[in-house]
Amino acid sequence: MKTNELEPSFEEKLNEVTNIALQIDNFLYKNNLYEFFDYDLLEKVDGYASGLIQERIIKNIEGRVSLRELIEFDIAKEEQKIDDDIILFKETIKNLI
């Protein structure tokens, strides 16, 4: 995912959380373990693995959203969410292995 609008560290975090989500999703799919995991976790993993979360963030950064969404969007909060998700996903991967 390359866009001129993202700061390099933010882009690195987005790539990291995506890669970890893909690893989790792949593991769960191969081992048919979806039913044993929390729905909220699976929803986050799927959101990153499918690219929906990244698309929402990039659309907000580029201003391709409604005015209300643009006003409510806080890049610092999004980055904190990504940091939290990286921690959550790393713990999940550790528990899977």
Side-chain angles (χ1 to χ4, degrees):
M1 161 185 334
K2 264 298 197 205
T3 179
N4 296 333
E5 303 290 328
L6 293 179
E7 292 291 324
S9 64
F10 188 84
E11 185 175 3
E12 288 170 10
K13 289 178 182 182
L14 208 48
N15 286 332
E16 181 179 7
V17 75
T18 300
N19 288 334
I20 299 170
L22 288 168
Q23 290 173 22
I24 294 170
D25 191 51
N26 187 44
F27 184 88
L28 296 178
Y29 176 76
K30 283 184 176 179
N31 296 290
N32 197 23
L33 295 173
Y34 291 105
E35 64 191 60
F36 299 107
F37 284 83
D38 179 63
Y39 178 78
D40 292 334
L41 173 67
L42 293 176
E43 195 171 78
K44 277 186 185 187
V45 168
D46 186 53
Y48 284 109
S50 66
L52 293 175
I53 293 173
Q54 301 88 319
E55 181 180 7
R56 179 187 57 78
I57 291 170
I58 290 172
K59 280 184 176 180
N60 272 283
I61 290 171
E62 294 175 346
R64 297 184 293 126
V65 294
S66 71
L67 183 57
R68 179 179 180 168
E69 288 174 298
L70 192 58
I71 291 169
E72 292 175 353
F73 183 74
D74 183 344
I75 191 86
K77 285 182 183 178
E78 290 297 326
E79 188 165 8
Q80 184 59 53
K81 286 181 193 176
I82 291 170
D83 290 339
D84 294 344
D85 290 342
I86 289 171
I87 292 167
L88 174 64
F89 290 175
K90 283 183 176 180
E91 278 295 313
T92 302
I93 284 282
K94 190 187 314 180
N95 291 333
L96 291 175
I97 298 175

